[in-house]
Amino acid sequence: MCHVVIGTSGHIDHGKSALVRALTSHDPDRLKEEKERGITIDLGFSWLELPDGTKSGIVDVPGHERFISNMLAGAGSVDLALLAVAADEGVMPQTIEHIGILHLLGIRHGVIALTRCDLADDELKILAEEDVRAHTRGTFLEDAPIVQTSSVTGEGIEALRETLFEVIRRVRASYISRVHLPFRLPVDRVFTMEGFGTVVTGTVTEGTLHTGDKIALYPGEKPLRVRTIEVHDQQVEKAEAGQRAALNLPGIQKNKLSRGTILAESGSIFASDKLDVTLHAMRGAHFLIKNNLRVHVFLHTESALGRIVLLNRDRLEAGEQAPAQIRLETPLHARYGDHFIVRFYSPVETIGGG
């Protein structure tokens, strides 16, 4: 079975969480401050029921530039992007940055929702669609379907749901199975439940995990056992690559885990302070990538500071790519083929990845 994770993206207040609520009847915003302020601050989670009875996980990410690090923690495990663009505003700065990030992360499939159509006349909707097409040209979203929607009136929600079903079918048809690889789950949330103890959540990026399996916590390779597994609020016996999962872990305190720690098959991943990469400079980036530039590096839910060493030039212009080595100040746990994002040290802004 091929499992697909959907990730929202788009500028703040362009209706990402409202879309998820309209599509699923679940509220992805879980923090009190999010509900009070009406904006997404941290990652939210839900799922979409599919016609064949299976479910696709949804990761709802924040749109504000201050919370891009939270967005990156969720975007690294996404298979299909759902880009929200408000019809009454069009493409905005975080729309552009999110498109660039998703493109650098190697995401190949997407759907564009033109949101808040109840606030725009026909001419404004046409202008917004043209704006979207101009800014997605040359990216994986260039030919993505655009669906006009309103979470207030319900306009287009069923059409969007059907469009997602069709794209998910295409994703599955072109999917390269990761189930046979060693298990790995980058942790994105940790909490405790009365009567159960420590629970972590994340997306299974590779492999299969069964109840009772012995795994390891990284960094440190601390041995752990999986007591129970939940997928989409249902207790199950196993979780596979592409599924959102909650794991109950006995014998470890909540403060020993955090976003950025990794659960994996023992001995299957290793920490390194050097990453050999093909570095792509993001189109439209405001800062040049120069040799020995200090940057923030994001890899799944992990992050670290490091310096970029360009191997065949002294500078990398926006839109160019080159072999490089990233020399990290704190080791990260990478596997061959992992995608990453680099952001300028200060002011913090996305400048590349690969």
Side-chain angles (χ1 to χ4, degrees):
M1 170 63 69
C2 164
H3 303 285
V4 176
V5 176
I6 302 165
T8 66
S9 56
H11 195 74
I12 183 174
D13 203 28
H14 274 202
K16 297 181 293 299
S17 299
L19 265 187
V20 174
R21 284 192 292 272
L23 286 167
T24 70
S25 301
H26 296 104
D27 188 355
D29 288 338
R30 55 188 172 80
L31 303 179
K32 181 181 178 182
E33 186 179 358
E34 290 177 320
K35 296 180 185 297
E36 289 175 347
R37 296 174 61 184
I39 64 170
T40 301
I41 296 170
D42 203 354
L43 300 176
F45 308 103
S46 187
W47 62 86
L48 181 67
E49 301 269 359
L50 304 181
D52 63 2
T54 61
K55 300 172 182 177
S56 276
I58 299 177
V59 180
D60 185 40
V61 307
H64 197 288
E65 62 179 342
R66 286 169 45 206
F67 307 124
I68 284 286
S69 59
N70 291 341
M71 179 267 184
L72 289 167
S77 60
V78 165
D79 302 297
L80 189 164
L82 175 57
L83 176 68
V85 181
D88 58 324
E89 285 192 349
V91 172
M92 298 291 280
Q94 296 321 120
T95 317
I96 296 169
E97 186 168 13
H98 281 204
I99 292 169
I101 288 170
L102 297 171
H103 189 69
L104 290 167
L105 288 174
I107 295 170
R108 297 184 178 90
H109 303 274
V111 174
I112 301 166
L114 201 65
T115 59
R116 301 195 331 205
C117 284
D118 54 303
L119 301 178
D121 58 25
D122 290 342
E123 184 178 358
L124 207 53
K125 294 173 192 176
I126 292 170
L127 289 173
E129 287 200 17
E130 291 174 350
D131 196 19
V132 169
R133 289 300 182 205
H135 283 91
T136 56
R137 193 171 297 122
T139 76
F140 75 103
L141 288 168
E142 184 172 22
D143 298 315
I146 298 177
V147 183
Q148 296 185 5
T149 67
S150 168
S151 298
V152 174
T153 67
E155 174 192 349
I157 298 301
E158 189 56 38
L160 178 60
R161 187 180 288 110
E162 291 297 325
T163 302
L164 286 169
F165 292 162
E166 176 56 35
V167 177
I168 287 170
R169 282 192 285 269
R170 295 206 299 267
V171 174
R172 286 177 165 177
S174 63
Y175 191 81
I176 299 173
S177 176
R178 301 188 299 268
V179 173
H180 65 285
L181 298 172
F183 166 77
R184 177 172 58 161
L185 181 147
V187 174
D188 54 37
R189 187 181 173 211
V190 183
F191 57 95
T192 56
M193 288 186 65
E194 188 175 350
F196 290 91
T198 302
V199 177
V200 302
T201 71
T203 300
V204 181
T205 57
E206 296 100 13
T208 302
L209 183 71
H210 297 84
T211 300
D213 278 355
K214 294 180 180 179
I215 55 175
L217 170 66
Y218 294 87
E221 203 171 352
K222 176 181 173 59
L224 295 171
R225 180 179 63 85
V226 180
R227 177 187 285 153
T228 59
I229 303 171
E230 282 195 5
V231 174
H232 308 316
D233 281 354
Q234 292 186 336
Q235 190 165 320
V236 296
E237 289 300 311
K238 71 174 183 178
E240 298 179 328
Q243 288 187 307
R244 293 283 313 165
L247 312 180
N248 180 210
L249 303 173
I252 188 167
Q253 297 297 314
K254 176 186 173 184
N255 61 7
K256 300 297 182 182
L257 297 126
S258 64
R259 178 176 294 172
T261 53
I262 298 171
L263 298 173
E265 185 177 310
S266 182
S268 66
I269 58 173
F270 303 93
S272 176
D273 60 2
K274 295 182 179 66
L275 302 177
D276 294 326
V277 303
T278 299
L279 179 62
H280 299 253
M282 191 166 81
R283 296 188 313 170
H286 296 117
F287 298 100
L288 193 67
I289 297 178
K290 297 180 180 179
N291 207 19
N292 209 38
L293 180 70
R294 195 174 190 223
V295 293
H296 299 266
V297 184
F298 296 84
L299 179 72
H300 287 294
T301 60
E302 287 188 290
S303 62
L305 291 169
R307 291 189 182 274
I308 294 172
V309 178
L310 298 171
L311 300 181
N312 63 0
R313 63 188 72 192
D314 293 323
R315 52 195 284 166
L316 195 62
E317 305 279 355
E320 293 182 341
Q321 68 179 62
Q325 185 176 82
I326 302 177
R327 297 178 181 173
L328 301 164
E329 297 177 20
T330 306
L332 295 177
H333 299 81
R335 281 181 178 166
Y336 179 79
D338 279 351
H339 288 280
F340 67 95
I341 294 294
V342 293
R343 308 194 77 208
F344 198 73
Y345 178 68
S346 182
V348 181
E349 181 179 312
T350 305
I351 56 174

